[in-house]
Amino acid sequence: MEEENIKEDANRKNNFIKNIITEDLENGKNNGKVVTRFPPEPNGFLHIGHAKSICLNFGIAHEFKGKCNLRFDDTNPAKEDQKYIDSIISDVKWLGFDWGEKIYYASDYFDKLYEFAVELIKQGKAYVCSLTSEQMREYRGTLTEPGKESPDRNRPISENLDIFERMKNGEFEDGTYVLRAKIDMASPNINMRDPVIYRIKKMAHPRTADKWCIYPMYDFTHGISDALEGVTHSLCTLEFQDHRPLYDWLLDEVNSPCHPQQIEFARMNLNYTVMSKRKLQKLVENKYVDGWDDPRLPTIAGIRRRGYTPEAIRNFCNIIGVSKKESRIDVGLLENCLRDDLNDNAPRVMAVLRPLKVTIENWLHDQIEELEAQNHPQKPEMGTRKIIFSKTIYIEQDDFMEDAPKKFFRLAPGREVRLRYGYFITCKEVLKDKDGNILELICNYDPATRGGDAPDGRKVKGTLHWVSSEGSIPVSVNLYDRLFMAEDPEAENDDFTKNINPESLVKLEGCRVEKSLKDAEPEKAYQFERLGYFCTDSKESSKEGLVFNRTVTLKDTWAKVSQTNK
Ligand code: ATP
Ligand code: MG
């Protein structure tokens, strides 16, 4: 990890997993080594829940001076794809973590896994079974009733070896046989009732091509892969707790080089979104969103495109901590971590989203003046930049009101306001079209107020952001909001897509940003003063024009407000 992150690591909270590891180290377990792994299945893009697992696994390796492997759990060619592998690699790197030289793949172990399976058969600990999947379900029993033994359970070892080899050689069609571990059909733990460890799947694999037509199951692959890599602590989410006896059984029965310890922790869930890859896939495939990297999705690629920073995500994962208890975290907390980071680090600029033209009547026609603006009011070290004032400027439409109440401190006929870093202006006249729509304001400026203060000490209540026609460029803006209106989109409706927020994306054309942004780096967030944080969109921006995404509003507009009233 980069040097600057190390200090942040020092502030990392303690958690029960770190306590276990500290104790292991004190007891001299694993020869003082700590090896973890992050094992994604390349069947979709990573989401913020994975970020928790990434921060935990890489964070622990870093803190205990060990290592963390990135390992693709690629045992199901039906669902996996190289494009997912590529996106996962780029996301983990972007989050700021380093897995060293080598990327690991479960598929690299297919030969060894096959040998381990043969070994189990030879010991009488695995058998080839020809029950159909339906029969298998019937034989499995229930939580309250024991299972029934398969008629194939006592098939002679030599026959098992022969059929298993022929399965490998492609002699049988999908579904005709499986290889099962021979454990205990009466076990109270259903995972131990002779689980399937190999199945026939006549399908090419993204990495091993046509070499295999049998593929190992997840439970069989995972523990053995951990052991082959010398993993010491295999951290996984709670749903694997009931698989732990199987994890341990397999490692005890095969001649494994070591026996990693599986430790479970609670998944992270966020409100106002869905997280599982299957549901994200549904949103992508049915075009509710613009691909896996849509800025409204909780995918790493999406929030990155939205303008999130790796620092904010790491900080969020640190704050929420690690526990054994499932909980749903308020997405507002994630947004606040982002605001904290951007408030500190995002340069300030001015932009007008819904422009209202203002002509400064007493300004010379061609006169152009450069004014100095601070890039960050609390951080002088971030420097200043020049902004241009000219005869035509633009302010926000809702910063003007014709019949303004007394408490409206922005612009109104006859009233005076300050233009940030510019001058005081007073509204003289309102020009309208024949339908009464406001087209333009005619204002006067006070030359003595340059920079924003009146020498006579006169005060104005309002300060507006603005851009000038000469000093700005037209851009489009995507105003993103939460993708779902319901806190738990899955609980409050049978079909979670019914809870999609119809205003999760509002596209604005004809917005204007100051010229200094014409070469803005994609995904780098700026604070548009008074409006929020925005960054240019890496996909939609083109030579024809920049497109900005709203990363997050300045304040949490959802807090304490009903879901429709924002
Ligand atoms: P999903 O259920 O969202 O599709 P998954 O668990 O199938 O995710 P994997 O690719 O198998 O996705 O996950 C890789 C690692 O990330 C696993 O160790 C898994 O436990 C962890 N992980 C996945 N989702 C979360 C989450 N919401 N919170 C914490 N860790 C998670
Ligand atoms: Mg999974």
Side-chain angles (χ1 to χ4, degrees):
M1 236 198 298
E2 305 141 37
E3 204 49 38
E4 66 187 82
N5 301 330
I6 290 174
K7 191 166 97 262
E8 180 203 56
D9 280 341
N11 297 330
R12 276 236 175 90
K13 287 202 284 198
N14 249 351
N15 62 50
F16 78 95
I17 297 179
K18 289 209 284 193
N19 295 341
I20 294 174
I21 296 178
T22 305
E23 211 180 298
D24 286 349
L25 288 176
E26 279 165 10
N27 294 334
K29 210 173 151 188
N30 308 314
N31 300 320
K33 279 207 202 113
V34 175
V35 182
T36 56
R37 83 288 168 266
F38 172 64
E41 186 184 354
N43 60 353
F45 277 50
L46 296 182
H47 52 61
I48 183 86
H50 293 113
K52 172 173 173 168
S53 176
I54 294 170
C55 289
L56 177 66
N57 280 295
F58 282 93
I60 280 181
H62 183 76
E63 204 171 324
F64 292 94
K65 303 201 168 37
K67 75 176 200 132
C68 177
N69 292 346
L70 173 60
R71 182 207 311 145
F72 287 98
D73 215 329
D74 54 348
T75 52
N76 185 1
K79 292 200 175 144
E80 295 158 8
D81 200 309
Q82 186 62 38
K83 75 171 184 237
Y84 299 132
I85 295 183
D86 296 340
S87 76
I88 291 170
I89 291 175
S90 118
D91 288 349
V92 177
K93 197 181 278 174
W94 178 77
L95 278 171
F97 297 103
D98 179 8
W99 52 81
E101 303 281 285
K102 186 171 152 80
I103 294 180
Y104 294 79
Y105 294 86
S107 53
D108 287 344
Y109 309 132
F110 281 172
D111 285 304
K112 287 202 174 113
L113 288 160
Y114 180 79
E115 285 166 26
F116 281 122
V118 169
E119 191 195 319
L120 278 181
I121 298 174
K122 284 184 181 158
Q123 291 178 49
K125 297 274 167 59
Y127 61 97
V128 171
C129 179
S130 60
L131 291 181
T132 63
S133 52
E134 210 167 289
Q135 286 170 322
M136 201 121 63
R137 218 169 302 130
E138 251 175 64
Y139 275 64
R140 191 178 297 137
T142 64
L143 284 174
T144 48
E145 280 169 46
K148 258 194 331 193
E149 292 188 356
S150 159
D152 293 338
R153 200 171 197 261
N154 295 313
R155 195 194 290 278
I157 291 177
S158 57
E159 206 176 305
N160 283 321
L161 285 171
D162 175 56
I163 303 177
F164 188 51
E165 186 170 359
R166 288 163 59 200
M167 281 164 69
K168 181 182 77 143
N169 294 340
E171 289 185 31
F172 309 112
E173 292 315 307
D174 290 15
T176 40
Y177 289 109
V178 292
L179 184 70
R180 299 175 71 175
K182 192 171 179 176
I183 311 181
D184 179 6
M185 286 311 288
S187 169
N189 183 338
I190 292 184
N191 295 301
M192 299 297 272
R193 295 184 189 166
D194 293 7
V196 173
I197 57 177
Y198 260 95
R199 75 259 201 231
I200 302 172
K201 208 169 223 174
K202 292 198 160 166
M203 182 173 257
H205 184 281
R207 299 192 75 253
T208 57
D210 293 326
K211 178 167 177 196
W212 296 91
C213 54
I214 53 172
Y215 291 97
M217 300 299 285
Y218 175 85
D219 280 326
F220 181 67
T221 310
H222 197 78
I224 293 179
S225 305
D226 282 347
L228 291 173
E229 290 171 19
V231 166
T232 56
H233 299 85
S234 177
L235 315 180
C236 61
T237 34
L238 283 179
E239 71 272 22
F240 291 103
Q241 195 156 342
D242 290 344
H243 297 233
R244 189 177 352 123
L246 176 56
Y247 183 98
D248 289 332
W249 184 91
L250 283 165
L251 291 181
D252 286 340
E253 299 302 330
V254 303
N255 185 19
S256 112
C258 64
H259 193 134
Q261 180 182 3
Q262 175 177 311
I263 307 173
E264 308 85 16
F265 63 95
R267 267 175 184 267
M268 180 215 317
N269 300 303
L270 271 186
N271 62 8
Y272 294 104
T273 193
V274 293
M275 200 97 100
S276 96
K277 279 183 280 195
R278 198 169 44 79
K279 285 165 196 144
L280 296 173
Q281 182 119 39
K282 181 169 173 184
L283 291 170
V284 172
E285 272 174 7
N286 296 323
K287 304 229 169 356
Y288 290 105
V289 294
D290 166 36
W292 282 97
D293 61 353
D294 185 288
R296 290 164 293 180
L297 289 182
T299 52
I300 305 294
I303 59 183
R304 168 180 180 178
R305 206 176 135 195
R306 176 92 172 244
Y308 271 71
T309 60
E311 292 76 13
I313 297 169
R314 291 200 305 262
N315 191 30
F316 170 71
C317 291
N318 184 30
I319 287 174
I320 59 171
V322 180
S323 83
K324 280 262 188 203
K325 209 170 140 264
E326 288 278 351
S327 64
R328 186 171 282 271
I329 311 269
D330 184 6
V331 67
L333 180 65
L334 175 62
E335 292 168 347
N336 273 336
C337 288
L338 179 64
R339 284 189 189 98
D340 284 349
D341 182 25
L342 297 182
N343 183 39
D344 276 354
N345 300 311
R348 274 54 172 167
V349 292
M350 292 202 283
V352 174
L353 298 187
R354 296 173 179 90
L356 171 60
K357 183 175 172 188
V358 175
T359 300
I360 312 288
E361 204 173 32
N362 57 342
W363 187 271
L364 286 179
H365 204 72
D366 295 330
Q367 188 185 342
I368 280 184
E369 199 172 304
E370 281 193 333
L371 301 161
E372 182 132 311
Q374 288 172 294
N375 292 335
H376 195 304
Q378 285 83 46
K379 286 189 160 177
E381 68 276 17
M382 283 176 72
T384 60
R385 67 190 186 284
K386 299 280 191 235
I387 52 176
I388 289 172
F389 200 94
S390 65
K391 190 161 181 83
T392 304
I393 62 162
Y394 298 96
I395 63 168
E396 215 63 65
Q397 284 169 15
D398 61 9
D399 277 338
F400 174 79
M401 232 175 139
E402 204 171 8
D403 298 307
K406 239 183 143 167
K407 286 248 160 90
F408 184 78
F409 296 130
R410 292 169 265 168
L411 198 58
R415 292 199 197 166
E416 187 172 49
V417 293
R418 175 190 294 112
L419 295 179
R420 180 121 164 109
Y421 300 118
Y423 293 95
F424 286 12
I425 59 166
T426 306
C427 178
K428 294 289 176 197
E429 201 187 334
V430 184
L431 304 185
K432 296 183 188 171
D433 65 12
K434 60 180 190 328
D435 300 322
N437 300 311
I438 299 175
L439 292 178
E440 181 180 341
L441 305 179
I442 308 293
C443 295
N444 271 350
Y445 85 109
D446 176 357
T449 56
R450 189 176 200 273
D453 282 310
D456 61 5
R458 153 175 124 254
K459 296 275 182 253
V460 286
K461 283 250 168 69
T463 300
L464 307 186
H465 62 272
W466 57 278
V467 294
S468 66
S469 63
E470 267 74 14
S472 65
I473 51 168
V475 300
S476 310
V477 171
N478 293 326
L479 294 180
Y480 288 113
D481 200 350
R482 295 184 183 171
L483 186 55
F484 291 96
M485 294 178 296
E487 229 189 296
D488 180 354
E490 291 157 83
E492 294 171 34
N493 218 317
D494 53 338
D495 172 7
F496 68 92
T497 60
K498 289 185 187 151
N499 287 313
I500 288 182
N501 175 3
E503 290 177 15
S504 64
L505 170 57
V506 175
K507 283 183 169 289
L508 299 179
E509 303 290 335
C511 318
R512 302 195 71 95
V513 300
E514 57 177 76
K515 259 190 183 152
S516 66
L517 286 178
K518 72 177 175 8
D519 300 315
E521 213 180 294
E523 294 164 8
K524 176 180 158 59
Y526 290 83
Q527 187 190 93
F528 288 2
E529 293 209 32
R530 295 176 68 223
L531 296 172
Y533 296 97
F534 294 77
C535 70
T536 58
D537 190 273
S538 47
K539 256 181 154 174
E540 292 182 13
S541 294
S542 67
K543 279 207 191 78
E544 282 73 58
L546 290 176
V547 177
F548 280 85
N549 292 333
R550 181 166 70 197
T551 307
V552 68
T553 51
L554 288 178
K555 294 210 177 82
D556 185 352
T557 51
W558 285 71
K560 293 186 235 108
V561 179
S562 82
Q563 285 162 11
T564 47
N565 174 19
K566 285 173 282 119

